Amino acid sequence: MPQSKEKFDEQVKALGKFSKFYAKKEMKHLPEILRAEEKVCAITSGQYNSHNWLITVTDQRLIFLYKFLWSLKQIEFPISKISAIGHNTGLLFGTIVATTASDEEKFNMIPKMDVVR
C-alpha cells in the first residue's frame, strides 16, 4: 500500500531544506512508490548516467527515480543489502557511492550541503 500524500508531506517538511534541482517531477511520484510504513530520512538530487535523478533514503531502502516523458525509471537497494556508502565533496557538489555485494552505483553532482548531511 502506498504512502498517503499527507504523511509524505509531513516527512518532507520535517527534513527541512534540501535540493530538488531538476527532480521536481520525480517528487510527485515518490508518495506512490513509498510504502505506508516507510520513514523518509533524506532526499536530494544528483546525476547518474548523464541524467538527473531523485535520491531518497528511507529506513528500509535507497531509492533512485528518473522521469522522462511518460516513463518512470526506478532503482532501489534494500538497506540490508548495502555494504558501504562513501562520499566525496568538491567546492559546490559531491559524489555518493553505494556499494552492495555485487554492484557499485555512483551518483554525481549532488549539492555539497546534501552530501555532508
Side-chain angles (χ1 to χ4, degrees):
M1 178 174 204
Q3 195 168 94
S4 73
K5 178 83 168 104
E6 294 77 24
K7 183 176 179 182
F8 174 72
D9 289 342
E10 286 176 21
Q11 292 185 57
V12 169
K13 187 176 179 181
L15 291 175
K17 206 173 175 186
F18 60 89
S19 172
K20 294 179 276 193
F21 189 68
Y22 294 118
K24 291 179 183 170
K25 56 190 178 281
E26 288 85 357
M27 281 287 290
K28 293 178 185 176
H29 294 278
L30 191 54
E32 303 162 12
I33 292 163
L34 294 172
R35 299 176 187 125
E37 72 280 359
E38 231 168 342
K39 180 179 185 269
V40 177
C41 302
I43 300 176
T44 190
S45 62
Q47 281 192 349
Y48 175 71
N49 287 342
S50 302
H51 298 291
N52 293 309
W53 290 67
L54 179 70
I55 303 167
T56 307
V57 180
T58 74
D59 59 344
Q60 299 176 15
R61 56 193 171 150
L62 186 56
I63 305 167
F64 305 99
L65 294 177
Y66 169 65
K67 178 139 176 74
F68 182 71
L69 298 177
W70 297 278
S71 69
L72 181 68
K73 293 184 181 185
Q74 177 180 343
I75 300 172
E76 68 176 68
F77 298 99
I79 293 294
S80 61
K81 301 290 183 190
I82 297 173
S83 57
I85 293 183
H87 72 277
N88 296 319
T89 57
L91 186 59
L92 298 174
F93 296 99
T95 300
I96 293 178
V97 179
T99 306
T100 64
S102 61
D103 205 1
E104 183 176 273
E105 301 294 342
K106 187 175 184 179
F107 293 84
N108 301 305
M109 297 299 293
I110 300 169
K112 184 178 179 177
M113 67 177 194
D114 291 342
V115 172
V116 297
R117 193 185 308 198

